[in-house]
Amino acid sequence: MDRMECVSSLSEMPRKEASVHQPIAPIPIRPWMLNGLSERLMVSHYENDYGIAVRTLNAVRDEISGLDLAAAPGYRVRALKHEEHAAMSSVALHELYFGNLGGDGKLTNSMTVALAEQFGSVDAWRGEFIAAARSLRGGSGWVLLSYSRRDRRLYNQIGSDHTHALVDALPILALDMYEHAYHMDFGANATAYIDAFMRNVDWKVVGERFAEAAGTAAPSTEAEEAPAPRSIKELSADFDAAAITRLNLPSLSVEELAAEIAQRERVQVLDARPRHYFSRNVDMMKGAFWRDPARVEEWSKELSPDAPVFVYCAYGFHMGCSVAAALCERGFDAKYLRGGLSAWYAAGGARALARAD
């Protein structure tokens, strides 16, 4: 393939029409900015464990949709429905887990009041939650702060696997205590991991989940909202996914990218990770080509104006958006990939050795 030849095929992601597929959710946090939890740990957890959960769920649903349920033996139906339940719960819990990270660990006013009312004090809640987490050292499971709609109150609970949760309750804070969540950084020192987790909780997100679960209005005394950029030129690493979404830039999901590649004769898939980031990574999307995002003016003249350009960065934050917007300004049909390369890998997308043409 010529270095500028449009990509015609990447990873095959077969889908059955009768099966409801779970899409990959882009990682909601900036994994390089956490306090005491490494980018390498977060990305591995997201791409491998969360990604496997999504892919397993979709494979199980495909198998169920292909069964003749009237003729299938009961044990087969039972096993598949059990696996579907476990995979659905794993997907949901992982999305909750990543979503409640990225903060500074400081409680908001509304959650301070709620925890004190329902546990006697914040210290009492924290002591019970941490004790539950420490009890899983050497084992596995989840520790959840959940709101019971039946009792209209909060409880700390342990889920010994993905399917153990309170009935008619919504988790508002999720802590993954499976070893894959911490072993890369902490080895067997689960206590240090728990402490690091608590330093990174985004209590604004937890408060919003609590308000939604309890059916109350969202608190108005929370921390300041993420900045809202007025234009693409203001984007930087300080902006989160929600702020980027408000710009309404042309974008597509990893599933939509796979479909575009399968259906079109010619597409251009552009790796726009910064040079310093690209140079220290060993792989890239199969069939893509890398260009320095700081030199768009130079290399954009090499692109074909007759085929769409799909731009990805590492996680789908400001870099991929900025390059896609710059190409749109130059008249190209360009979109950025939501979730970036990490979401592609989580979905099982093909990869190749990285090379700068």
Side-chain angles (χ1 to χ4, degrees):
M1 178 180 293
D2 185 82
R3 68 177 186 172
M4 291 304 299
E5 184 178 347
C6 297
V7 180
S8 61
S9 64
L10 290 181
S11 171
E12 300 231 354
M13 295 184 184
R15 296 183 59 161
K16 293 188 178 182
E17 292 298 325
S19 177
V20 177
H21 270 218
Q22 176 72 31
I24 288 284
I27 192 166
I29 55 172
R30 292 161 289 184
W32 67 93
M33 296 184 70
L34 299 182
N35 178 11
L37 298 170
S38 72
E39 179 180 2
R40 179 167 169 259
L41 172 67
M42 288 293 106
V43 173
S44 175
H45 192 175
Y46 170 78
E47 291 180 2
N48 296 311
D49 302 287
Y50 167 68
I52 286 173
V54 173
R55 299 197 300 272
T56 298
L57 176 57
N58 290 334
V60 170
R61 285 179 171 169
D62 281 345
E63 191 166 344
I64 292 172
S65 71
L67 277 182
D68 180 352
L69 294 174
Y75 69 83
R76 186 62 186 150
V77 175
R78 184 168 61 249
L80 285 171
K81 294 304 289 183
H82 175 79
E83 289 300 320
E84 182 186 32
H85 181 195
M88 286 175 65
S89 297
S90 180
V91 169
L93 289 169
H94 277 99
E95 290 179 0
L96 288 168
Y97 171 78
F98 289 116
N100 55 221
L101 290 172
D104 59 9
K106 295 179 181 178
L107 279 159
T108 57
N109 292 335
S110 63
M111 287 308 301
T112 297
V113 171
L115 294 174
E117 283 181 351
Q118 303 206 20
F119 291 89
S121 69
V122 170
D123 287 342
W125 167 78
R126 187 185 300 272
E128 182 179 295
F129 188 87
I130 291 176
R134 289 178 177 175
S135 74
L136 293 176
R137 289 175 293 184
S140 60
W142 292 85
V143 181
L144 307 171
L145 173 62
S146 297
Y147 178 76
S148 169
R149 292 179 294 195
R150 179 185 178 88
D151 297 343
R152 300 193 63 79
R153 62 164 293 118
L154 293 166
Y155 291 101
N156 290 320
Q157 68 156 128
I158 289 176
S160 57
D161 67 23
H162 303 303
T163 62
H164 289 181
L166 292 174
V167 174
D168 198 24
L170 295 174
I172 64 171
L173 176 64
L175 168 56
D176 189 344
M177 286 303 298
Y178 284 82
E179 283 195 354
H180 64 238
Y182 60 87
H183 193 271
M184 187 178 292
D185 279 2
F186 301 96
N189 190 356
T191 298
Y193 161 66
I194 296 165
D195 292 342
F197 171 85
M198 298 300 289
R199 291 196 301 271
N200 286 278
V201 172
D202 188 339
W203 283 101
K204 181 175 183 294
V205 169
V206 178
E208 290 169 351
R209 291 174 181 171
F210 176 54
E212 182 178 358
T216 60
S220 59
T221 58
E222 304 292 6
E224 293 183 359
E225 290 186 359
R230 294 184 295 271
S231 73
I232 189 67
K233 295 179 180 179
E234 295 182 12
L235 275 180
S236 72
D238 295 329
F239 293 107
D240 62 10
I244 291 170
T245 299
R246 290 196 288 272
L247 287 173
N248 293 318
L249 299 172
S251 68
L252 75 171
S253 68
V254 292
E255 294 84 9
E256 290 168 337
L257 175 57
E260 290 278 1
I261 291 167
Q263 294 167 8
R264 290 180 179 266
E265 291 185 5
R266 302 179 68 210
V267 298
Q268 302 170 98
V269 181
L270 172 64
D271 186 322
R273 290 175 291 174
R275 178 179 291 275
H276 72 274
Y277 194 94
F278 181 83
S279 64
R280 69 172 189 260
N281 284 270
V282 299
D283 51 24
M284 63 190 298
M285 190 183 296
K286 184 178 179 181
F289 56 91
W290 177 81
R291 290 294 180 268
D292 188 343
R295 303 173 67 178
V296 176
E297 185 63 35
E298 296 178 22
W299 53 255
S300 62
K301 301 179 181 67
E302 304 172 25
L303 298 176
S304 168
D306 301 322
V309 184
F310 302 122
V311 183
Y312 71 81
C313 56
Y315 309 112
F317 290 107
H318 69 290
M319 191 56 66
C321 301
S322 298
V323 171
L327 293 176
C328 286
E329 289 177 353
R330 289 163 173 78
F332 292 97
D333 176 12
K335 296 179 180 179
Y336 79 91
L337 181 64
R338 297 193 298 273
L341 184 61
S342 195
W344 177 261
Y345 287 164
R351 63 181 77 194
L353 289 177
R355 62 188 183 91
D357 294 338

